[in-house]
Amino acid sequence: MRIVVDLALCQDHGQCVFSAPQVFSLDENGKLSFRDGATDTYISADLDESLRDDVEEAADACPLQAIEVEG
Ligand code: SF4
């Protein structure tokens, strides 16, 4: 399982951080930390299955529908 985040859609409100803090975080500037070194799309490494419920909740919670869970 991995996540794909559309950083062009994301507006850094951080709902995903509350749902899945092991995966999502905001940096010191209040921006989604995945923005560092990423282009418009962030693709994660393979995530442990134990995180699936949390990342699916994050995808549901994202008001911009910027998060996709693949696999
Ligand atoms: S919930 Fe969605 S819009 Fe908000 S920071 Fe997370 S990915 Fe971005």
Side-chain angles (χ1 to χ4, degrees):
M1 171 193 58
R2 64 181 188 174
I3 55 164
V4 178
V5 182
D6 186 335
L7 298 172
L9 279 179
C10 169
Q11 294 186 358
D12 304 293
H13 295 305
Q15 282 89 333
C16 53
V17 179
F18 291 105
S19 297
Q22 312 94 318
V23 177
F24 296 91
S25 62
L26 299 180
D27 65 18
E28 66 273 15
N29 298 313
K31 300 290 186 186
L32 197 64
S33 58
F34 299 149
R35 291 190 184 283
D36 267 357
T39 56
D40 276 357
T41 305
Y42 168 79
I43 302 172
S44 76
D46 196 25
L47 299 176
D48 194 88
E49 274 302 312
S50 65
L51 296 169
R52 180 177 292 276
D53 284 353
D54 285 353
V55 295
E56 287 185 345
E57 185 182 310
D60 287 344
C62 176
L64 282 304
Q65 299 191 326
I67 303 166
E68 277 186 47
V69 182
E70 294 185 341

